[in-house]
């Protein structure tokens, strides 16, 4: 199970903020992805209406089995007709852990 909220939508001068959790129930299985995380995403205009989105976040593990621990980030290009929503962006992890 995954749950997340976006308390701050991206603005002209500030990033969007997302706070979420993966596998929050500690008593069910080994929970390799049991984490709470925070993410910042900011997009910038580039060529011909395309946008570049930069994402940075941090995983806080909920147990000793979690494989997600520490910083992560990503870069995505967004076409001009893309919906402006953090929830659809597919970012590529940069291996910062």
């Amino acid at each position: 199970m995954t749950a997340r909220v976006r308390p701050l939508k991206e603005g002209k001068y500030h990033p969007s903020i997302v706070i979420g959790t993966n596998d929050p129930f500690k008593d069910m299985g080994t929970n390799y992805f049991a984490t709470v995380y925070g993410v910042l995403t900011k997009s910038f205009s580039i060529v011909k209406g395309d946008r570049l989105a930069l994402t940075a976040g941090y995983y806080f593990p909920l147990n000793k089995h979690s494989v997600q621990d520490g910083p992560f980030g990503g870069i995505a290009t967004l076409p001009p007709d893309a919906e402006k929503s953090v929830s659809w962006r597919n970012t590529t992890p940069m291996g910062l852990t």
Side-chain angles (χ1 to χ4, degrees):
M1 179 183 133
T2 297
R4 62 186 183 175
V5 295
R6 183 178 59 185
L8 184 62
K9 192 172 182 176
E10 182 178 329
K12 185 174 182 177
Y13 299 108
H14 61 81
S16 65
I17 297 175
V18 173
I19 300 167
T21 184
N22 295 323
D23 281 345
F25 305 109
K26 296 180 181 181
D27 59 348
M28 300 179 72
T30 53
N31 291 352
Y32 291 117
F33 300 101
T35 54
V36 172
Y37 59 89
V39 181
L40 301 173
T41 299
K42 180 70 180 129
S43 60
F44 304 92
S45 292
I46 51 176
V47 205
K48 299 180 186 174
D50 288 348
R51 297 185 67 75
L52 177 70
L54 303 175
T55 299
Y58 197 89
Y59 286 119
F60 298 94
L62 294 177
N63 64 41
K64 64 182 179 181
H65 301 293
S66 181
V67 295
Q68 296 174 323
D69 184 5
F72 64 92
I75 300 173
T77 56
L78 311 171
D81 58 347
E83 168 187 351
K84 284 190 171 188
S85 170
V86 171
S87 63
W88 71 271
R89 291 185 182 145
N90 183 13
T91 60
T92 306
M94 294 174 16
L96 299 175
T97 58

